[in-house]
């Protein structure tokens, strides 16, 4: 989302939007290979109110849902060592990927 990118830019957080095709797992693998510590995923739930996105930490592969209005400052604080991933996980709800089940 444009406002998220603008918020990261305002806070001097280096970022890149990956709008390439492919599964989210493949995108995570690409960023893990080049040591990007945090990834933000915009999905269909982002459009629901309140607007939020998933933040993933590379080393633990932990994921949390964070409101878009505070997400840039959380990423900045993580990047500059002002907060820890443990603190973020204790503040925001963990994101558990939904299982896709079919009735048989």
């Amino acid at each position: 989302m444009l406002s998220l990118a603008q918020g990261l830019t305002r806070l001097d957080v280096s970022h890149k939007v990956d709008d390439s095709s492919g599964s989210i797992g493949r995108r995570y693998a690409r960023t893990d290979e080049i040591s990007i510590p945090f990834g933000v995923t915009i999905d269909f739930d982002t459009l629901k109110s309140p607007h939020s996105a998933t933040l993933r930490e590379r080393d633990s592969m932990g994921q949390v849902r964070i409101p878009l209005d505070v997400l840039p400052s959380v990423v900045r604080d993580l990047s500059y060592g002002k907060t820890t991933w443990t603190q973020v996980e204790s503040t925001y709800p963990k994101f558990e990927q939904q299982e896709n089940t079919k009735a048989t």
Side-chain angles (χ1 to χ4, degrees), residues 3-22:
S3 62
L4 177 58
Q6 290 171 340
L8 291 166
T9 299
R10 257 191 315 275
L11 296 175
D12 289 329
V13 176
S14 176
H15 62 282
K16 180 184 182 309
V17 176
D18 180 358
D19 57 1
S20 62
S21 61

Side-chain angles (χ1 to χ4, degrees), residues 67-79:
L68 286 181
D69 59 340
V70 298
L71 186 54
S73 61
V74 170
V75 174
R76 178 204 54 208
D77 290 351
L78 282 164
S79 298

Side-chain angles (χ1 to χ4, degrees), residues 2 22 42 45 72 95:
L2 184 58
I42 303 297
D45 288 339
F95 176 74

